[in-house]
Amino acid sequence: MGTWELTFAAILKILFVLLVVVGAFAPVLVWAERRQSAMIQDRLGPRRANIPLPRGLVDLMAWSLRPLQMGLVAGFALAGACIALLAVMGLFGLESVAGQSAESLYWGVLAFAGLGVLSALGYKVHRGIVDNGGNLRLLGMLHPAADAMKMIWKEDFIPPRADRFLFALAPILTVVPAIASFAVIPFAADLHWDHLTDLVHHGIAWEAVDGAPTLSGEAWERWVATAAAQGVAVTGPSIPMQIASLNIGILFIFAVGGTGVIGAAIGGYGSDNKYSLLGGLRAASQMVSYEVVLGLTVVPCFMIYDSLRLEEIAAWQFEHGWWGIGIPPLTLAAVLFSFAAVAETKRIPFDVPEGESELVGGYLTEYSGMKFGMFFTGEFVEVVLLAALATVLFFGGWDVPFLYEYGFDLPGSWELSVPLTHWTIGDVFLIEHWAVIAIQVVFFLLKVIVIVWLQLMIRWTLPRFRYDQIMALCWKGLLPLSLLNILATGILVLLWN
Amino acid sequence: MLSVYLPVFLLLAVAALVAILMFTLTSVLGPKKPTPEKLLPYESGSNTTGASHLRLSVKFYLTAILFVVFDIEAVFLYPWGSMFRELGWFGFVEMLGFLTILAVTLVYAWKKGALEWET
């Protein structure tokens, strides 16, 4: 594969990461956080941003409510009828019933249930808009967009005695490293470009339809042996599902992400405000302290996975079928990592650099408009980054339980009595290569969402710590513990060998 | 070798573009109506006294020094960690010596009160 194709693939991956992280995760995170705080305090929260729709469209929606209701009922009733017919076939051992074969009935269930679900969704959306006076609200998901618009048009205030260069550089230095650190995060296994619609297993690819026998009950091993004989070795380019595959791997994240400290520090220093200066210093001091812990807690991972490359770390967990969190030394490492990650992103309960009861807004005091918004974008992107890193290191990265290169394979060897489609053999559900990769990407993002949500729960559960408590926790608690964890991991690994 | 880093530079460029776009938009579109009160350093309504560059606690400098010591240690542990199985017991004992020296450093700093923030 030439340089141009690689560059093109890289651009696509960069756009995907930007779209998901900056375009979706960061705004939704802002929304979820505000919505959650509103729920706790029994306020309305971020759900007032409305987009008024044209009158005619709203009338059409109001008219469509009745047909949608009918579609809902009819869809589920027909799907139920198909299931009943299937049950009759199963009970009496019939080849077909009412002129319908099993296969067409399966498709009927899918199609009618789909109709029912879509009608229900449509009804809910239309009902919401009609009840809201013809305004599109989308749960308030438009609120982050409205916020960004507002911030752009707010006064861009620069303190007269501020260091103009440092004051301008600080928000940029917060956003850029946070986004750039995503370069080495792997979000799926390698994509074999020439075998998108084939089945791939252990470096062998075969055509999906021809290779998969329609028989049920045939032993899987025997089938794989036959297929392997028919298949060809995987050829052509394999595209890593990661922006850049660097040999320094995780070190890149700490090197680039670590520069985020400078943003907070010079922002506070350049603002010509005592609160800003103190906030910046607190931020710098806290972030460098927890960076040490963050760096040390992941060392046991390298000792066990034997690599610094994040794609190899994810692949190790995929091959062993065992996530890092299930290996005893890494369980402790994951706990320490989660503490350090929350502290590194300066969020509650570690948010003393911007604690409004002591320091007004900390290093953000003199910032306004989108420059203020940039600090927040950087913070939220960093939250997503550390969640993605935790996913790769401790939660199997893109590994999906029971999903192998060729499809889902449940443990044991029980077999389905009726073949669902010609895609199933026994308990194995074959999936084309491109779909396997897509499932991995989706599952990786789901894991990241769960971890980010846990962080939100922490944020709205714990009160703010004192500064001396934060520093003592780092230097007297987490640091010695992570050093001991490295030694313990060393002894365990060497004894196992 | 350099081509491996090409996507990284691309991502850096795109990230810088996003940041500069946000930055420029707000400074071009945002209004600017300075008033004498607005231009004062914001201290919750009271007038500011003295220079804004305070004398700072020495704790911050000590933390910075400790950071340099221990972060270099962490980076030194990375190649060792990824080569751990090949180095075996020999590498483990060698690193144990290095870690002992650093543990002594930490204990020394602890006893000297460099980690105390209460006062």
Side-chain angles (χ1 to χ4, degrees), chain A residues 306-325:
Chain A
D306 237 0
S307 176
L308 283 178
R309 289 171 177 261
L310 288 171
E311 68 270 30
E312 283 177 11
I313 286 175
W316 189 96
Q317 297 173 80
F318 169 72
E319 278 154 25
H320 288 71
W322 193 253
W323 292 356
I325 187 101

Side-chain angles (χ1 to χ4, degrees), chain A residues 385-448:
Chain A
L385 171 75
L386 284 167
L389 192 58
T391 306
V392 174
L393 288 174
F394 303 113
F395 297 96
W398 38 260
D399 180 39
V400 185
F402 312 126
L403 180 71
Y404 296 85
E405 283 171 293
Y406 48 80
F408 281 103
D409 189 352
L410 296 174
S413 59
W414 53 274
E415 279 155 6
L416 297 173
S417 52
V418 186
L420 274 174
T421 63
H422 64 275
W423 292 106
T424 31
I425 305 149
D427 62 344
V428 180
F429 192 84
L430 296 169
I431 300 173
E432 289 176 10
H433 181 59
W434 69 269
V436 170
I437 299 291
I439 291 171
Q440 286 172 346
V441 172
V442 169
F443 213 78
F444 176 76
L445 294 178
L446 280 179
K447 287 183 197 175
V448 173

Side-chain angles (χ1 to χ4, degrees), chain A residues 248-327:
Chain A
I248 53 171
I250 193 167
L251 204 53
F252 177 83
I253 292 185
F254 287 120
V256 174
T259 44
V261 180
I262 302 170
I266 66 175
Y269 178 79
S271 293
D272 182 45
N273 186 315
K274 287 169 195 150
Y275 290 130
S276 299
L277 183 63
L278 283 172
L281 275 170
R282 278 187 176 186
S285 215
Q286 176 187 331
M287 284 170 84
V288 294
S289 297
Y290 277 93
E291 204 170 292
V292 172
V293 176
L294 207 60
L296 285 177
T297 48
V298 295
V299 172
C301 300
F302 313 142
M303 295 161 78
I304 286 172
Y305 301 138
D306 237 0
S307 176
L308 283 178
R309 289 171 177 261
L310 288 171
E311 68 270 30
E312 283 177 11
I313 286 175
W316 189 96
Q317 297 173 80
F318 169 72
E319 278 154 25
H320 288 71
W322 193 253
W323 292 356
I325 187 101
I327 305 167

